[in-house]
Amino acid sequence: MNEWKNNLRKIKPYVPGEQSKEKNIVKLNANENPYPPSPKAIEALKAFNAESLRLYPHADATPLKAAIAEYYGVEIENVFLGNGSDDVIALAFQAFFNSEKPILFPDITYSFYPVWCELFKIPFKTPALNKDFRINIDDYSGENGGIVFPNPNAPTSICEGEEFIRKMLDNNTDSVVIVDEAYVDFGGYSSVKLTKEYENLLVTGTFSKSRSLAGLRIGFAIGSRALVSVLEAVKNSYNSYTVDALSIAMGIESVNDDEYFKATTAKIINTRERLKTELEALGFEVLNSSTNFIFATHKKYNMKEMFEFLKARKVFIRYFNLPRIDNYVRITIGTDIETDILISEINNFLNKGE
Ligand SMILES: *Cc1c(COP(=O)(O)O)cnc(C)c1O
């Protein structure tokens, strides 16, 4: 009886930053962009012919691919599109990580990677970041079934440069290396141009953070034809139409509005540096960030308590109850006004015992 229950998949899913239903919260817990999408993308939404939704979208989303290809100086055949970069990375795991050998990613990183490994039954190992939370390149020089890491890394916010990425690729000519560049537009180093030199490098990106379009779900990858064609084959064995018509229309306008993109990312970088300075003045240690969030700790205060205190005051940040980082918080960069509220509530927390 009920034997079917034995065959149900037992899996622990990834848990994203909480999406609270409360109003008037300061939401700094999911690395969303505090600014709206490009006005040109919003215009494209207003001008969108809703009746056209009876038709399937462009199967290859070619117009959006073309805009992305032009932006990055690559060919259309080097661009892959998916329903958010989570979709792209999940497809890449299935397309490229088919060895018996374990794939490698850091112990402290995007917590979706181990979930995909469980889901797709991919063996993995997680070499520890060093005490400064940097990737130790020597941990990635042995035999492996593939490599994936975010650059900048999350939640540490630290970015490695060209020399590091080249070394990683030169040490791993026999496996596919995926560099997840979800946060690269906030001052990080992008390895996109290295995809022309290294056929085994796939770089993934997203419109969710720097382009303020998390609600649409647009993700992409750039790589050699050898990699992109296999990604397309895996996608087309699963779901032919990943990117919807509205995302295509709005995505194109977003890519083409470089002025707005540059202005909003610069504002976020500015606010980030201001927040870092102010937190350091309060005794926090803040890692050098190349992202739209900071990763911070305080020697004299309990960060889990601070996280809960702020939550009760409707300021949502992210706390990970994980080894080595259980006295850190990850704070998304908001507007300047949100940052003022955050700092004032952090002051209330620090002073509450006195
Ligand atoms: C946000 C994020 C993604 C995925 O974003 P999508 O919204 O699915 O495009 C991928 N990797 C990292 C490290 C992220 O933080």
Side-chain angles (χ1 to χ4, degrees):
M1 278 277 273
N2 282 343
E3 203 158 322
W4 55 272
K5 284 191 177 164
N6 296 332
N7 295 324
L8 299 182
R9 193 67 189 261
K10 292 162 201 75
I11 192 144
K12 249 175 84 187
Y14 171 77
V15 185
E18 195 175 339
Q19 294 293 351
S20 170
K21 293 210 170 50
E22 267 190 77
K23 293 231 163 56
N24 303 320
I25 63 164
V26 176
K27 191 169 180 308
L28 307 174
N29 68 340
N31 294 344
E32 290 146 325
N33 197 308
Y35 301 110
S38 151
K40 292 191 174 141
I42 294 174
E43 270 314 306
L45 171 61
K46 289 182 184 151
F48 190 81
N49 174 9
E51 286 180 14
S52 73
L53 287 174
R54 71 188 182 80
L55 299 171
Y56 278 107
H58 199 294
D60 290 328
T62 309
L64 178 54
K65 270 188 192 167
I68 292 173
E70 195 190 324
Y71 184 84
Y72 287 103
V74 297
E75 303 297 319
I76 291 185
E77 292 75 18
N78 300 117
V79 179
F80 178 78
L81 273 175
N83 191 15
S85 66
D86 285 340
D87 184 44
V88 172
I89 302 166
L91 288 165
F93 271 46
Q94 294 175 83
F96 308 136
F97 296 159
N98 297 297
S99 162
E100 309 272 287
K101 294 172 202 156
I103 70 158
L104 306 176
F105 50 85
D107 63 335
I108 300 167
T109 195
Y110 191 34
S111 47
F112 224 137
Y113 302 155
V115 175
W116 287 316
C117 285
E118 296 292 343
L119 181 64
F120 306 133
K121 303 186 161 101
I122 299 166
F124 65 97
K125 276 193 190 151
T126 56
L129 295 182
N130 71 19
K131 63 171 185 8
D132 300 324
F133 291 141
R134 305 279 291 265
I135 296 173
N136 181 7
I137 195 112
D138 295 334
D139 294 339
Y140 295 77
S141 55
E143 282 207 336
N144 60 71
I147 289 170
V148 58
F149 59 96
N151 196 45
N153 196 5
T156 65
S157 77
I158 295 172
C159 191
E160 299 295 344
E162 178 168 348
E163 199 185 329
F164 175 96
I165 305 290
R166 281 189 183 275
K167 197 159 176 217
M168 184 70 98
L169 290 159
D170 291 334
N171 288 348
N172 289 284
T173 48
D174 288 332
S175 35
V176 173
V177 177
I178 301 176
V179 181
D180 174 354
E181 293 191 351
Y183 298 105
V184 79
D185 296 328
F186 302 100
Y189 163 75
S190 172
S191 348
V192 163
K193 77 173 191 323
L194 299 185
T195 59
K196 296 185 183 178
E197 264 179 78
Y198 296 90
E199 236 189 330
N200 60 327
L201 167 65
L202 190 83
V203 176
T204 65
T206 177
F207 283 37
S208 298
K209 276 99 185 203
S210 56
R211 296 192 179 277
S212 312
L213 288 171
L216 274 191
R217 316 301 303 128
I218 305 174
F220 62 93
I222 296 177
S224 62
R225 287 175 194 221
L227 292 185
V228 170
S229 62
V230 177
L231 267 178
E232 294 288 355
V234 171
K235 183 208 84 168
N236 289 325
S237 308
Y238 170 74
N239 177 6
S240 306
Y241 302 101
T242 43
V243 182
D244 63 84
L246 192 55
S247 295
I248 295 171
M250 292 178 72
I252 292 168
E253 293 306 315
S254 169
V255 176
N256 290 338
D257 193 355
D258 206 36
E259 197 180 324
Y260 183 82
F261 172 76
K262 290 213 170 90
T264 47
T265 47
K267 267 207 277 196
I268 289 168
I269 292 169
N270 248 318
T271 309
R272 176 184 79 207
E273 296 311 308
R274 173 198 148 202
L275 175 62
K276 183 177 198 283
T277 308
E278 295 195 28
L279 289 180
E280 283 170 349
L282 295 172
F284 284 85
E285 279 169 38
V286 183
L287 303 195
N288 278 330
S289 170
S290 302
T291 64
N292 69 335
F293 60 87
I294 55 156
F295 200 52
T297 187
H298 200 301
K299 282 210 169 74
K300 298 199 186 114
Y301 292 89
N302 182 308
M303 291 296 101
K304 184 163 193 273
E305 281 173 19
M306 186 175 87
F307 159 78
E308 276 155 8
F309 178 92
L310 293 177
K311 189 170 166 177
R313 308 284 184 108
K314 293 193 177 188
V315 177
F316 285 61
I317 61 173
R318 193 91 195 259
Y319 171 77
F320 301 94
N321 200 354
L322 295 171
R324 298 177 72 197
I325 57 168
D326 59 357
N327 202 40
Y328 281 79
V329 286
R330 189 195 75 186
I331 307 175
T332 305
I333 307 305
T335 60
D336 279 315
I337 291 169
E338 288 173 320
T339 305
D340 292 341
I341 298 170
L342 167 76
I343 291 167
S344 124
E345 291 297 353
I346 287 178
N347 266 306
N348 288 336
F349 170 76
L350 300 181
N351 297 331
K352 76 181 159 60
E354 291 160 19

